[in-house]
Amino acid sequence: MKKSHVILQCEGGLHLRVAARIVNEVQHRQSEVHVRCAGCPWANACSVFELLKLGAAQGTPLEVTVEGPDEDSTLRVVASVLGEGI
């Protein structure tokens, strides 16, 4: 299992477009991906609804966990989307 701590840089926070981008990036991968912020339950990164329930604003620290055979590349992609506001 790989973990990363990322500061959400997306303008407007973790909104629908960002959540959909994450889901599109991880749904075809072999690893399981979960995201959470302090005080929040884990959100499955394959679910737009679960990601939106986090209610994370820009600047929120997030924890990302990835477990599976392609966890390195998957973690890089998710961290890039969240941390660079792509």
Side-chain angles (χ1 to χ4, degrees):
M1 179 187 324
K2 300 281 184 173
K3 289 185 180 183
S4 181
H5 294 275
V6 180
I7 303 296
L8 182 62
Q9 297 299 323
C10 304
E11 189 174 325
L14 187 49
H15 54 76
L16 182 59
R17 188 175 56 230
V18 175
R21 171 84 190 276
I22 292 170
V23 170
N24 285 334
E25 292 290 350
V26 301
Q27 68 184 358
H28 67 278
R29 296 180 182 262
Q30 297 174 332
S31 294
E32 290 187 30
V33 182
H34 293 88
V35 180
R36 76 173 174 180
C37 54
C40 297
W42 287 101
N44 184 331
C46 284
S47 169
V48 169
F49 181 69
E50 286 190 30
L51 290 170
L52 292 176
K53 280 188 355 181
L54 292 175
Q58 184 178 17
T60 301
L62 299 172
E63 183 178 355
V64 181
T65 62
V66 182
E67 187 170 2
D70 58 353
E71 57 192 22
D72 290 324
S73 63
T74 302
L75 184 59
R76 276 193 303 273
V77 168
V78 173
S80 175
V81 171
L82 295 171
E84 297 176 14
I86 296 172

